[in-house]
Amino acid sequence: DIQMTQTTSSLSGSLGDRVTISCRASQDISNYLNWYQQKPDGTVKLLIYYTSRLHSGVPSRFSGSGSGTDYSLIISNLEQEDIATYFCQQGNMLPRTFGGGTKLEIK
Amino acid sequence: EVQLQQSGTALARPGASVKMSCKVSGYSFTSYWMHWVKQRPGQGLEWIGTIYPGNSDTTYNQKFKGKAKLTAVTSASTVYMELSSLTNEDSAVYYCATGTPYYFDYWGQGTTLTVSS
């Protein structure tokens, strides 16, 4: 199975900050990398698919980049509603696998 | 509006089976894959498997073969997951999520399963 690693388990930023959340795959996943947001109440939403494509309705302050094994989710102009845990997921090989998550808090 | 409505909290005994549901609305039920994902308390997410309601084609994570069974009833726009031979390790929140084979567009609210004697 492809292992997805989010080395930062928690992260804090101030309102208006730009924050970057990283994700590393155990092998090349050819840009089949997706990002999800899980709110404290458990609600999960797709933010970014195929590395950098913004899902419908997602604010443009979210963006993604990367290639090969290393990927990033960037949140610019951090807002209170961005408090959540963020998971990466690879869609290149079965079984689909997720990173362990990065919990984002506001300072 | 795409909506995935999952069945409510479930309580089951060790060794028993449980069947949970995910009813969809707002899109063509037979045109998208439905995935199931497990999340244990304080843990990350695990992909269990997927079903294509258009032809009931299923793919499972090897880890969950024999544990989970996915079915779809097109007339009810509902997908079911049955978990068998339950143990404490099966206590978790289970999400259904629709999408492509590669990513999951829309998620249900989750079903909490507690396995306890």
Side-chain angles (χ1 to χ4, degrees):
Chain A
D1 297 1
I2 295 177
Q3 183 176 353
M4 304 301 293
T5 302
Q6 294 179 244
T7 53
T8 301
S9 57
S10 65
L11 182 62
S12 64
S14 300
L15 296 177
D17 275 359
R18 171 187 166 101
V19 297
T20 300
I21 297 171
S22 300
C23 176
R24 173 167 287 175
S26 58
Q27 64 187 72
D28 187 340
I29 55 172
S30 301
N31 290 105
Y32 284 94
L33 189 284
N34 313 305
W35 290 98
Y36 301 89
Q37 177 194 65
Q38 184 174 39
K39 289 291 186 75
D41 68 357
T43 302
V44 181
K45 292 185 178 179
L46 172 68
L47 298 174
I48 302 279
Y49 63 98
Y50 199 62
T51 298
S52 60
R53 298 180 182 176
L54 203 64
H55 182 52
S56 175
V58 175
S60 58
R61 64 178 183 278
F62 290 91
S63 62
S65 66
S67 64
T69 60
D70 294 317
Y71 299 84
S72 297
L73 172 70
I74 302 102
I75 310 172
S76 59
N77 196 18
L78 195 62
E79 296 190 7
Q80 189 71 31
E81 66 181 26
D82 299 333
I83 294 174
T85 300
Y86 294 84
F87 293 93
C88 60
Q89 173 249 325
Q90 65 82 17
N92 188 53
M93 292 188 69
L94 294 173
R96 306 306 184 216
T97 48
F98 293 84
T102 298
K103 186 175 183 179
L104 179 60
E105 298 171 327
I106 304 295
K107 284 180 185 176
Chain B
E1 180 189 6
V2 176
Q3 289 191 331
L4 281 65
Q5 184 63 42
Q6 296 189 237
S7 47
T9 299
L11 175 63
R13 304 291 189 196
S17 297
V18 68
K19 194 171 187 178
M20 56 188 72
S21 64
C22 176
K23 181 174 176 60
V24 308
S25 61
Y27 75 95
S28 175
F29 177 68
T30 55
S31 299
Y32 295 91
W33 291 81
M34 185 67 77
H35 304 265
W36 288 83
V37 175
K38 175 183 181 180
Q39 186 173 37
R40 299 203 69 204
Q43 303 296 310
L45 302 166
E46 277 189 286
W47 180 77
I48 296 171
T50 187
I51 183 167
Y52 187 73
N55 59 10
S56 290
D57 185 23
T58 55
T59 302
Y60 294 94
N61 184 337
Q62 183 69 31
K63 178 179 179 180
F64 292 94
K65 282 186 177 178
K67 167 62 67 176
K69 181 180 179 182
L70 306 182
T71 54
V73 177
T74 54
S75 60
S77 297
T78 301
V79 173
Y80 298 90
M81 179 173 70
E82 183 172 16
L83 299 172
S84 59
S85 303
L86 293 170
T87 72
N88 290 339
E89 299 295 306
D90 297 316
S91 294
V93 176
Y94 292 87
Y95 291 95
C96 60
T98 190
T100 75
Y102 311 103
Y103 59 87
F104 320 136
D105 291 88
Y106 299 96
W107 294 58
Q109 83 277 21
T111 293
T112 300
L113 170 64
T114 301
V115 180
S116 176
S117 55

